[in-house]
Amino acid sequence: MQRSATRVSRSSGPRSWVERAVWPLWVLLLITVPFTSHPWVASWSGGNVVSPLSGIPLLVLSAVWLGPIALRGRLPRLAHPLLGFVLIAGLGASLVPFHGLPPWKDQDAILRSVRALVTLAIGVAFYLTASTIPKDDSRLRASLAWLSVGAILTLAWATFQSSLMPFSNPVPPRIQEIHHLFVIQDMFRTRVSGLAYEPSWLADQLVLLYFPMWLGLILQRQTAFPWRLRGLTLELLLLLWGIFVLFRTFSRAGYVTALALLAALLISRGWSWSGWVAARLARGRPKAVRWPRVLVAGAMGIGFLAVSLIGLVAAARVNPRIARVFDLNLGTITRSERFPWPYALANRLEYGERLVYWVSAFRGFSQSPILGVGLGVSGFTFAENVPSYGYYLPEILENLDPGSGVFPNPKSLWVRLLAETGAVGFSAFLIWLVGAGYQAGVLRRGSSPILRALGIAGGLSLVALAFEGFSLDTFALPQLWLILGLITATEARSQTQSRPDPGETRA
């Protein structure tokens, strides 16, 4: 497959005028990924919190690029399971009028389902754009570079926010005004959010998109930029900078996902490294390799636990929510008479509200297990499925209040997929992810260093998604789609070998 991709890249010839025209829009999209809730887009979308600035170039690209490709039936094969998921979600949404759900909190179930389908369409458009524009290694490398440029913008603003923390209480009005030029949300006083709506969204961007991309390039000794200094690449500097910013977000989900990425790297590469070290220690005696290898691997595991503990202690010193981990008394929690132990543990670690959202949505799934209750509609079943523990939580009571403007949602991509698209939709989505994971594995075994780096990035991004999926709950943010789209672009090359590009003229 790798050789085929190389032949296509070399024989593609001059790019069509359409490709040359859409490239600046694609670059603009990549640079604006960090802007998740921009005032311009929010004003057009009715004040929606999820208002990515990258949606503006995406809209134009959908019209001039994706539309012709879709009409010609030239979408990549790897996208077919995802398109099947879209059809399943649309079928489930078409059944919403028959559920008999009354309006609640001035929200109509049908209209909310339509809006959810629109957000899904936006996410799929991000994916399809990424899977069709970078058609060769040079365009892929340039795409990774422009993604890093966007990351620099949000890291710089987050670092400035961090510098204000010890001195600004509250944040100076002038600084807030500048922040509101890019984000509809106020700047946080004790946590950094960069150019995202809130700190957890910035952490999500880092661990789901930027960290996997930079780690893939670093591990393959590659860089997306045309310069390096004796092996020191910009990606390495950005990774270190990003780790500092991630720490200042104080996002517990971000911390856990970052540790999962570290564990995945140690598992995938640590065993081969330990084999090399053990072989040296065994001095050429094959039968003597096993125990040294086990010892080396064990030492790496102990090192991982030590790094995790040091990071946890450092975070606990500045964040009371994380410090509660060290105050746990499991005996008291398991013997709690007020709540069952999962709720008692959640209450102690201050994620009780999140657990209530998950349980309520999962109960909705049990009521409609095949196709779910309909995309975007799970909030209408929230009140009837809230566990009794939820009535002790002020946030849940606010969600239950018919007069409040807060509308509940599952707060988890995985639970949302189950509740709103059922077992059928959930399975289709997983099949698409498995296909992307397989393609990432193919790239890792290839001969092109930049494609191997992308394969590593794709695998790490899927690991991150497995954990961030318990915090991420929207389809419209680009960080969920771009790495997987770039992976799909490598598979799509073989389909374009003998077919003209849209808009290409023939002599």
Side-chain angles (χ1 to χ4, degrees):
M1 178 176 179
Q2 192 66 37
R3 294 177 180 175
S4 173
T6 303
R7 287 197 302 268
V8 174
S9 177
R10 292 178 178 176
S11 62
S12 58
R15 296 187 176 97
S16 69
W17 68 268
V18 175
E19 286 184 289
R20 294 193 297 270
V22 303
W23 181 253
L25 291 170
W26 172 240
V27 169
L28 181 61
L29 186 154
L30 297 175
I31 295 175
T32 55
V33 163
F35 299 82
T36 66
S37 306
H38 198 276
W40 294 351
V41 185
S43 64
W44 299 338
S45 62
N48 199 323
V49 169
V50 183
S51 306
L53 183 60
S54 52
I56 296 177
L58 177 70
L59 181 63
V60 182
L61 286 170
S62 298
V64 303
W65 178 255
L66 289 183
I69 289 178
L71 291 175
R72 294 174 184 231
R74 301 179 65 246
L75 296 177
R77 288 175 303 218
L78 202 56
H80 292 173
L82 180 62
L83 298 178
F85 167 76
V86 173
L87 291 176
I88 293 168
L91 177 60
S94 69
L95 299 177
V96 169
F98 302 100
H99 294 334
L101 297 171
W104 189 45
K105 295 191 173 187
D106 296 327
Q107 297 277 348
D108 180 80
I110 298 176
L111 293 178
R112 192 166 182 88
S113 181
V114 170
R115 287 197 296 270
L117 287 173
V118 171
T119 63
L120 177 59
I122 292 172
V124 173
F126 277 121
Y127 168 74
L128 293 177
T129 302
S131 65
T132 53
I133 289 183
K135 291 189 174 182
D136 52 46
D137 287 3
S138 63
R139 283 287 171 100
L140 172 61
R141 192 182 294 270
S143 298
L144 298 179
W146 287 114
L147 270 174
S148 293
V149 170
I152 291 173
L153 298 179
T154 195
L155 291 177
W157 188 241
T159 304
F160 174 73
Q161 293 172 343
S162 179
S163 69
L164 294 177
M165 284 183 183
F167 313 108
S168 300
N169 186 11
V171 177
R174 181 58 179 169
I175 301 299
Q176 287 285 23
E177 291 176 6
I178 296 175
H179 186 69
H180 286 160
L181 296 176
F182 314 114
V183 189
I184 59 176
Q185 171 76 293
D186 285 346
M187 185 185 295
F188 289 73
R189 187 179 61 81
T190 59
R191 302 170 66 190
V192 302
S193 58
L195 299 170
Y197 180 75
E198 61 183 22
S200 61
W201 289 22
L202 173 58
D204 177 67
Q205 290 177 342
L206 291 172
V207 299
L208 194 56
L209 175 61
Y210 296 122
F211 283 6
M213 176 181 68
W214 295 332
L215 284 169
L217 291 167
I218 292 168
L219 292 174
Q220 288 297 312
R221 299 180 180 179
Q222 293 292 303
T223 178
F225 297 90
W227 64 84
R228 69 171 70 209
L229 180 62
R230 294 184 179 180
L232 181 64
T233 63
L234 184 59
E235 284 81 6
L236 178 58
L237 298 177
L238 289 175
L239 178 63
L240 297 175
W241 192 4
I243 291 173
F244 165 76
V245 169
L246 175 65
F247 182 80
R248 300 297 280 174
T249 65
F250 299 113
S251 168
R252 293 176 294 181
Y255 290 171
V256 171
T257 305
L259 290 176
L261 290 177
L262 177 59
L265 285 175
L266 289 177
I267 292 172
S268 63
R269 303 184 69 86
W271 186 249
S272 60
W273 291 343
S274 66
W276 180 82
V277 174
R280 298 290 296 272
L281 294 176
R283 298 181 182 275
R285 294 173 294 171
K287 294 183 178 180
V289 170
R290 185 176 64 176
W291 288 112
R293 187 170 192 178
V294 170
L295 292 175
V296 171
M300 296 183 68
I302 294 173
F304 167 74
L305 294 176
V307 170
S308 302
L309 182 59
I310 292 172
L312 187 62
V313 170
R317 292 180 65 88
V318 293
N319 191 308
R321 298 192 305 168
I322 298 174
R324 285 178 173 267
V325 173
F326 295 97
D327 296 332
L328 285 179
N329 187 328
L330 296 180
T332 302
I333 289 174
T334 55
R335 294 192 301 269
S336 174
E337 297 180 357
R338 188 178 185 186
F339 308 121
W341 74 263
Y343 295 115
L345 179 63
N347 188 67
R348 182 60 184 166
L349 294 180
E350 296 187 17
Y351 71 93
E353 295 85 356
R354 190 61 58 97
L355 183 59
V356 169
Y357 294 128
W358 296 346
V359 171
S360 302
F362 190 80
R363 288 179 176 179
F365 160 70
S366 65
Q367 295 169 350
S368 302
I370 306 300
L371 291 175
V373 297
L375 202 64
V377 182
S378 59
F380 289 90
T381 65
F382 177 75
E384 62 186 276
N385 292 319
V386 170
S388 58
Y389 164 72
Y391 291 91
Y392 292 91
L393 304 174
E395 180 179 323
I396 302 301
L397 293 177
E398 183 181 10
N399 276 267
L400 291 170
D401 182 7
S404 73
V406 181
F407 198 87
N409 64 75
K411 304 291 185 181
S412 165
L413 176 65
W414 307 126
V415 182
R416 181 183 183 186
L417 288 172
L418 281 172
E420 298 184 354
T421 65
V424 179
F426 185 83
S427 299
F429 196 83
L430 284 188
I431 290 172
W432 168 63
L433 292 179
V434 170
Y438 175 80
Q439 179 67 11
V442 170
L443 295 179
R444 289 185 61 180
R445 297 187 296 270
S447 59
S448 168
I450 190 66
L451 293 185
R452 289 200 303 268
L454 181 61
I456 294 173
L460 292 175
S461 183
L462 289 172
V463 170
L465 180 59
F467 290 86
E468 280 294 305
F470 289 99
S471 177
L472 180 71
D473 60 359
T474 178
F475 295 108
L477 294 177
Q479 60 261 29
L480 173 62
W481 308 98
L482 292 181
I483 291 292
L484 301 181
L486 293 176
I487 288 175
T488 304
T490 64
E491 182 267 346
R493 294 178 189 178
S494 60
Q495 300 180 50
T496 62
Q497 184 171 5
S498 60
R499 284 180 285 188
D501 296 323
E504 186 176 2
T505 57
R506 295 183 177 182

